[in-house]
Amino acid sequence: MQIAIDGPASAGKSTIAKLIAKNLDFVYCDTGAMYRTVTLLAKENQVDYGNESGILELMHDHKIYFVNKTDGQHVYLDDKDVSEVIRTEEITNNVSQVSAIKEVRTELVEMQRKMADNTNIVMDGRDIGTTVLPKAEVKIFLIASVSVRAQRRFKDNQERGIDVPLAQLEDEIATRDYKDSHREISPLKKADDAIEVDTSDMTIEQVVERVTEIVNEKK
Ligand code: CDP
Ligand code: CDP
C-alpha cells in the first residue's frame, strides 16, 4: 500500500506521515528532506541556487540517503548526518528555487519511486499524489491557514533556539507556497482523487485519527 501526503509548508505533513508509518509499520519517506539536502549541497559548495548544471554535477558526485534510527529517520549527505542543518532559515528560504529545477526533480523522483517499489510506504511532499506515486491507494492533502502554520513553525523554531518574528514566518511561508504552487514542473497541487483535510483547528492526534480512518476505508 502507498500513502501519499501532500500539502503546503508546515501543514503537519511530516509529523502525521511519521506517526501513520509508525502505527502501520510502513516505511516513511520525507521527500522535502531530499530537496533540502540538495540545497545544502549547493550552499556548502558555493554553487548558485539557480545554477542547474552546477547543482546536477554536485548531485552526481555526492550521495543522499536515509538511515532509520531509534529516534526516527535521519538524512545523510555522504557520511554526514544533515537532518538538523537542512532546517535552517537559509535552506528553507532557498529550497524552492532548487526544487524548481527540472533535472533535480527528475533525479529525486526516480529515487523516491525506487524507495516505494514493492514496499508499504508513507511518503510526504508536494507532488507525491500527482507525480511520484499517482497510483497511491491513499492520497491526503493536508492544509491549514497561513497564520496557524506560521505559529506552528514559530513554536518549532523556539524549541530549536531560532528566533524569527511571527510576521516574517508568515511572509516566508506564503512566499514559499506561492513559488511551490507556481513552478512549471509538478507544482504543489491537490490530486483530483486526494482527500483534503484542513488541520487548522485539529490536534495532531485528531489528524492521525482522521487519516487512519481514511486508510482503513481503503483497506
Ligand atoms: O517541512 P516543510 O513543509 O517546510 O517543507 P519540506 O517538506 O521540507 O519541503 C521543502 C521544500 O522542498 C518545499 O518548499 C518544496 O520547494 C520542495 N519540495 C518539493 O518541491 N517537492 C516535494 N515532493 C517535497 C518538497
Ligand atoms: O511537514 P510539514 O512542514 O507539513 O509540517 P510539520 O513539520 O510536520 O509540522 C509543523 C509543526 O506543526 C510541528 O511542530 C507539528 O508538531 C505541528 N503540528 C500541530 O501543531 N498540529 C497539527 N495538527 C499538525 C502539526
Side-chain angles (χ1 to χ4, degrees):
M1 187 182 226
Q2 295 177 335
I3 302 175
I5 301 188
D6 290 302
S10 293
K13 301 177 299 296
S14 60
T15 304
I16 303 306
K18 274 181 210 158
L19 289 167
I20 296 288
K22 188 166 171 253
N23 292 348
L24 295 173
D25 198 21
F26 278 24
V27 170
Y28 165 60
C29 175
D30 174 358
T31 63
M34 299 165 84
Y35 290 95
R36 284 174 180 272
T37 306
V38 176
T39 308
L40 177 71
L41 195 51
K43 176 180 177 273
E44 286 187 339
N45 290 278
Q46 280 129 39
V47 167
D48 192 274
Y49 296 124
N51 179 343
E52 301 191 18
S53 57
I55 291 178
L56 273 188
E57 202 177 310
L58 285 173
M59 283 175 80
H60 296 155
D61 289 345
H62 296 270
K63 203 167 166 246
I64 296 169
Y65 57 100
F66 292 108
V67 175
N68 289 316
K69 300 190 177 176
T70 44
D71 65 342
Q73 189 169 76
H74 290 239
V75 60
Y76 275 73
L77 175 57
D78 300 320
D79 56 358
K80 213 167 59 193
D81 185 342
V82 295
S83 312
E84 275 297 314
V85 282
I86 58 169
R87 312 269 162 210
T88 58
E89 281 282 293
E90 162 80 11
I91 300 299
T92 301
N93 291 332
N94 289 290
V95 61
S96 295
Q97 190 178 352
V98 173
S99 74
I101 300 173
K102 184 168 180 265
E103 289 77 9
V104 168
R105 302 203 70 82
T106 305
E107 299 206 2
L108 293 188
V109 167
E110 195 184 317
M111 283 169 68
Q112 290 153 11
R113 287 190 180 139
K114 270 192 195 140
M115 285 179 72
D117 203 23
N118 285 316
T119 314
N120 287 320
I121 195 162
V122 185
M123 195 177 274
D124 84 280
R126 301 290 186 291
D127 60 340
I128 312 307
T130 52
T131 304
V132 183
L133 306 175
K135 293 194 178 132
E137 286 85 354
V138 177
K139 295 184 187 177
I140 309 283
F141 198 75
L142 282 190
I143 59 162
S145 68
V146 173
S147 69
V148 165
R149 291 188 281 128
Q151 279 162 21
R152 289 176 182 168
R153 184 131 292 180
F154 185 76
K155 202 163 150 256
D156 272 354
N157 279 351
Q158 278 192 323
E159 279 161 16
R160 289 168 39 232
I162 303 170
D163 193 22
V164 182
L166 191 59
Q168 187 180 328
L169 288 176
E170 281 200 21
D171 279 353
E172 287 174 5
I173 285 176
T175 303
R176 192 145 61 94
D177 285 352
Y178 183 87
K179 286 184 187 160
D180 289 343
S181 312
H182 289 81
R183 67 173 173 237
E184 205 179 316
I185 328 282
S186 345
L188 165 67
K189 183 176 169 286
K190 176 182 166 297
D192 292 337
D193 51 351
I195 296 174
E196 185 170 285
V197 179
D198 186 342
T199 73
S200 303
D201 300 315
M202 291 169 85
T203 63
I204 293 170
E205 292 71 26
Q206 286 170 330
V207 183
V208 169
E209 201 177 312
R210 176 74 190 111
V211 173
T212 305
E213 261 171 32
I214 296 169
V215 172
N216 287 338
E217 279 164 20
K218 291 278 176 185
K219 264 186 177 167

